[in-house]
């Protein structure tokens, strides 16, 4: 039988296609899926050494042998490096990422090197990309750009506190991202908005940003010349562009967070999930797959609005092990994650299913070199205490952290430091976030310079402002008014409680509603304000000492200082210098009695 030429050609072409399909050579077959591991961390805050057990250096793990869970010691860069190496070994397609505050508010070893020590250690560990956090702006955009790009600290001493290794500081090999931080002079983002990495045929795009409210939680000089944009709309815009450019998965690295009431690590039931991150996540579109968050120093692995939402806690006590299955050209087909604790060898045993980590020798050697460099100043004894002097601490979380809604002895001492060390004033207040650690009784009560710098690592200057008695009442009401009341939760429900000096006392009523609109709160009991035990005159002007975070402010949204205060004056006195002087004058310092009384 003969075929016409055209029919024969068509038959041969069809036969060829069938043959190719039978041999598995069809171009219509989907590509093989690619598994990508994202190792995430947040709020490291320069903790290259093992943090204190009561200050981020422990977590509570589920334990079949203990229904309440078992506490283990965690953290330390040398152990963190070992864990990251172990996780990397299971998948060649791995990237290490951060969600901000990798430096800033750091312990003494990092602070004394202007955080160059931490940048060096994170370079060595293999951090590849991170968002900026609010504390990375503590010393202004110029200093943050120096940490990224390199160069010696202006005013530092080469080889002692800056450019320590060979007289140079190359800067961070990892990249900071700042999608919602715009330099007002140039109109461009301070750092790149996105970062894309290929894993075989799959690509993952990262969007990095910080909380829009950063100007309210950083000194005004730290964010001068910068504009902070809305988080959700910024993310959606960049996510759409990444997908348009062919990216298969989008991971958001955002320095904003939430909290749960979980009592153990990695409780993925996420009990009572709340916080400022939720409206952000709820407003995100379908282009976003994962949100790695931070800022609140809480740990969680949750699902929200069809996306994975994670946070590791703080100070390098854990990482989040995120695993994405990606079909190139199609997108993410599955995502799973677990929080993995950095269990160090200060533990003798660990609960079933967990392993104690050994130090990474190279990282440990690098850390110890910085410890030795800082040792002389760090170990100088500057005072003494008779017992532990602690912050108020949250008691219902898997990791100990400060309770910003309550008064604590350590905060009260810091307020006394401000009053004693600054210009003549009647009252002093410190914001609770400015009190970063406890003073723990050890070595017969000896307190070192390093201990003090761990409590007060910011280098804030002391400032004074004139406020009337009525304006001080307004200042106190702002502790529980929006937005302060929605920002934190603790023993008093919500708010940020100012820590007062010994000269001042007052009473507040917890039965009155919290979270009132700005200017309408009424929790302070009328007539309860006293100065040195004497009722204050609401029309009289008083001199109040604050730090440079609150004055000129408005730190933590205490706007009364700037809207109503007058004669704001910076003393030039650094808080750590005032702290040293106070401790030398007050040997055998005891925890002070409370100054604030709560009703109901």
């Amino acid at each position: 039988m003969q075929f016409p030429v055209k029919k024969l050609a068509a038959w041969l072409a069809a036969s060829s296609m069938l043959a190719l399909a039978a041999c598995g050579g069809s171009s219509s077959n989907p590509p093989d899926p690619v598994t990508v591991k994202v190792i995430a961390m947040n709020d490291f805050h320069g903790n290259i050494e093992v943090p204190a057990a009561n200050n981020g250096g422990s977590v509570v793990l589920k334990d079949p042998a203990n229904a309440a869970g078992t506490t283990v010691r965690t953290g330390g860069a040398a152990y963190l490096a070992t864990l990251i190496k172990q996780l990397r070994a299971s998948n060649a397609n791995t990237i290490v990422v951060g969600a901000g505050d990798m430096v800033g508010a750091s312990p003494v070893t990092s602070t004394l090197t202007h955080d160059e020590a931490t940048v060096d250690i994170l370079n060595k560990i293999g951090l590849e990309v991170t968002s900026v956090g609010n504390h990375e702006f503590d010393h202004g955009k110029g200093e943050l750009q120096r940490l990224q790009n390199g160069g010696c600290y202006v005013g530092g001493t080469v080889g002692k506190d800056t450019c320590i290794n060979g007289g140079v500081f190359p800067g961070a090999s990892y990249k900071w991202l700042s999608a919602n931080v715009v330099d007002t002079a140039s109109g461009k983002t301070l750092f790149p908005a996105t970062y894309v990495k290929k894993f075989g045929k799959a690509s993952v795009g990262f969007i990095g940003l910080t909380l829009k409210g950063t100007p309210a939680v950083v000194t005004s000089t730290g964010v001068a010349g910068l504009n902070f944009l809305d988080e959700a709309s910024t993310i959606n815009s960049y996510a759409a562009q990444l997908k348009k450019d062919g990216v298969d998965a989008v991971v958001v690295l955002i320095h904003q967070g939430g909290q749960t009431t979980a009592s153990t690590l990695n409780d993925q039931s996420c009990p009572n999930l709340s916080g400022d991150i939720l409206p952000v996540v709820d407003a995100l579109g379908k282009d976003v797959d994962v949100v790695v968050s931070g800022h609140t120093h809480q740990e969680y692995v949750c699902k929200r609005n069809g996306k994975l939402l994670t946070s590791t806690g703080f100070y390098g006590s854990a990482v989040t092990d995120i695993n994405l299955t990606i079909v190139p050209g199609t997108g993410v087909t599955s995502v799973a994650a677990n929080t993995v604790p950095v269990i160090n060898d200060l533990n003798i045993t660990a609960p079933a299913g967990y392993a104690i980590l050994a130090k990474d020798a190279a990282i440990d050697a690098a850390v110890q070199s910085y410890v030795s460099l800082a040792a002389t100043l760090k170990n100088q004894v500057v005072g003494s205490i008779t017992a532990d002097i602690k912050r108020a601490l949250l008691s219902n979380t898997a990791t100990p952290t400060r309770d910003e809604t309550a008064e604590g002895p350590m905060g009260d001492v810091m307020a006394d430091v401000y009053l004693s060390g600054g210009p003549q004033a009647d009252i002093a207040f410190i914001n609770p976030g400015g009190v970063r650690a406890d003073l723990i009784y050890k070595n017969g009560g000896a307190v070192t310079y390093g201990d003090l710098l761990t409590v007060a690592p910011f280098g804030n200057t002391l400032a004074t402002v004139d406020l009337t008695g009525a304006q001080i009442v307004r200042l106190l009401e702002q502790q529980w008014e929006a937005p302060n009341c929605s920002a934190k939760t603790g023993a008093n429900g919500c708010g940020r409680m100012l820590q007062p000096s010994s000269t001042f006392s007052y009473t507040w009523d917890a039965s009155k509603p919290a979270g009132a609109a700005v200017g309408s709160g009424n929790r302070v009991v009328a007539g309860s304000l006293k100065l040195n035990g004497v009722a204050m005159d609401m029309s009289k002007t008083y001199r109040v000492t604050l730090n440079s975070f609150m004055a000129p402010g408005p730190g933590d949204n205490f706007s009364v200082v700037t809207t109503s205060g007058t004669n704001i004056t910076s003393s030039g006195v650094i808080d750590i210098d005032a702290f040293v002087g106070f401790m030398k004058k007050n040997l055998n310092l005891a925890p002070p009695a409370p100054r604030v009384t709560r009703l109901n």
Side-chain angles (χ1 to χ4, degrees), residues 148-406:
Q148 175 72 93
N149 301 321
C152 299
Y153 182 82
V154 176
T157 303
V158 173
K160 290 189 175 181
D161 67 343
T162 186
C163 289
I164 295 154
N165 299 311
V168 297
F169 174 62
S173 58
Y174 53 91
K175 301 299 180 186
W176 267 293
L177 303 180
S178 61
N180 69 328
V181 183
V182 176
D183 188 308
T184 53
S186 67
K188 299 179 180 179
T189 57
L190 182 64
F191 294 113
T194 62
Y195 181 84
V196 177
K197 184 164 185 178
K198 293 279 289 183
F199 300 92
K201 294 182 178 180
S203 60
V204 180
F206 297 88
I207 305 169
L209 59 168
T210 190
L211 62 151
K212 180 183 178 182
T214 292
V217 294
V218 174
T219 59
S220 56
T221 54
V223 293
L226 300 174
N227 187 25
F228 292 76
L229 307 179
D230 178 72
E231 303 99 325
S233 58
T234 300
I235 293 167
N236 284 331
S237 176
Y238 281 108
Q241 185 60 52
L242 286 169
K243 284 297 180 76
K244 183 180 178 181
D245 292 340
V247 165
D248 296 301
V250 173
V251 176
V252 173
L253 309 175
I254 180 170
H255 194 70
Q256 178 58 286
Q259 52 271 323
T260 75
T261 55
S263 59
T264 57
L265 200 76
N266 202 36
D267 180 352
Q268 298 192 17
S269 69
C270 296
N272 301 308
L273 178 65
S274 62
D276 292 337
I277 191 63
L278 300 190
V280 176
V281 175
D282 290 346
L284 299 183
K286 59 181 176 55
D287 292 326
V288 175
D289 300 291
V290 177
V291 177
V292 176
S293 64
H295 186 51
T296 54
H297 289 200
Q298 301 291 299
E299 178 274 328
Y300 43 83
V301 176
C302 305
K303 290 292 179 67
R304 183 82 178 188
N305 189 22
K307 298 151 198 353
L308 179 71
L309 171 64
T310 73
S311 178
T312 66
F314 62 116
Y315 295 177
S317 278
V319 301
T320 311
D321 179 18
I322 303 169
N323 294 282
L324 304 172
T325 301
I326 301 169
V327 175
T330 299
V332 175
T333 58
S334 69
V335 58
N338 286 288
T339 304
V340 185
V342 180
I343 304 176
N344 58 46
D345 59 11
L346 297 180
N347 299 277
I348 299 173
T349 61
Y354 294 97
I356 295 174
L357 299 164
K359 294 178 182 178
D360 179 284
I363 298 298
D364 185 49
V367 169
Q368 293 310 314
S369 70
Y370 291 116
V371 171
S372 297
L373 186 72
T376 301
L377 181 58
K378 177 180 176 181
N379 295 327
Q380 180 183 346
V381 175
V382 294
S384 56
I385 55 177
T386 62
D388 292 351
I389 303 178
K390 294 186 176 183
R391 303 161 296 165
L393 293 175
L394 291 169
S395 59
N396 62 342
T397 58
T399 55
T401 189
R402 66 182 181 272
D403 181 356
E404 294 197 351
T405 74

Side-chain angles (χ1 to χ4, degrees), residues 482-493:
N484 267 344
C485 202
S486 63
K488 298 285 181 181
T489 58
N492 292 320

Side-chain angles (χ1 to χ4, degrees), residues 311-598:
S311 178
T312 66
F314 62 116
Y315 295 177
S317 278
V319 301
T320 311
D321 179 18
I322 303 169
N323 294 282
L324 304 172
T325 301
I326 301 169
V327 175
T330 299
V332 175
T333 58
S334 69
V335 58
N338 286 288
T339 304
V340 185
V342 180
I343 304 176
N344 58 46
D345 59 11
L346 297 180
N347 299 277
I348 299 173
T349 61
Y354 294 97
I356 295 174
L357 299 164
K359 294 178 182 178
D360 179 284
I363 298 298
D364 185 49
V367 169
Q368 293 310 314
S369 70
Y370 291 116
V371 171
S372 297
L373 186 72
T376 301
L377 181 58
K378 177 180 176 181
N379 295 327
Q380 180 183 346
V381 175
V382 294
S384 56
I385 55 177
T386 62
D388 292 351
I389 303 178
K390 294 186 176 183
R391 303 161 296 165
L393 293 175
L394 291 169
S395 59
N396 62 342
T397 58
T399 55
T401 189
R402 66 182 181 272
D403 181 356
E404 294 197 351
T405 74
E407 180 188 12
M410 191 69 253
D412 289 348
V413 167
M414 284 300 299
D416 291 344
V417 167
Y418 283 17
L419 190 64
S420 172
Q424 175 119 20
D426 302 300
I427 303 165
F429 294 111
I430 182 173
N431 57 299
V435 187
R436 303 304 291 193
D438 311 322
L439 286 179
I440 302 301
Y441 185 88
K442 60 185 186 300
N443 301 325
V447 175
T448 66
Y449 182 84
D451 294 330
L452 300 189
L453 198 56
T454 301
V455 174
F458 297 110
N460 286 323
T461 54
L462 303 186
T464 48
V465 59
D466 285 340
L467 295 170
T468 66
Q471 289 166 347
I472 292 173
V473 172
R474 277 276 75 245
L475 178 69
L476 297 176
E477 291 292 0
Q478 287 188 326
Q479 296 174 123
W480 307 289
E481 289 178 350
N484 267 344
C485 202
S486 63
K488 298 285 181 181
T489 58
N492 292 320
C494 66
R496 284 189 167 100
M497 183 167 281
L498 296 171
Q499 314 287 289
S501 61
S502 62
T503 54
F504 179 76
S505 63
Y506 72 99
T507 300
W508 67 282
D509 189 347
S511 69
K512 302 295 183 182
V518 174
S520 61
N522 65 339
R523 291 188 134 194
V524 176
V525 174
S528 69
L529 276 68
K530 293 183 179 180
L531 179 65
N532 297 315
V534 178
M536 294 175 64
D537 184 339
M538 293 298 98
S539 62
K540 183 178 178 180
T541 297
Y542 299 91
R543 196 72 175 148
V544 179
T545 298
L546 306 163
N547 56 35
S548 52
F549 170 65
M550 293 187 64
D556 283 343
N557 299 298
F558 289 105
S559 60
V560 168
V561 176
T562 49
T563 60
S564 302
T566 58
N567 194 22
I568 298 176
T569 306
S570 175
S571 68
V573 176
I574 306 298
D575 55 5
I576 186 64
D577 295 334
F579 206 170
V580 171
F582 181 85
M583 295 302 296
K584 287 182 176 179
K585 288 189 295 185
N586 294 274
L587 298 177
N588 298 315
L589 184 68
R595 291 100 192 245
V596 180
T597 301
R598 168 181 166 166

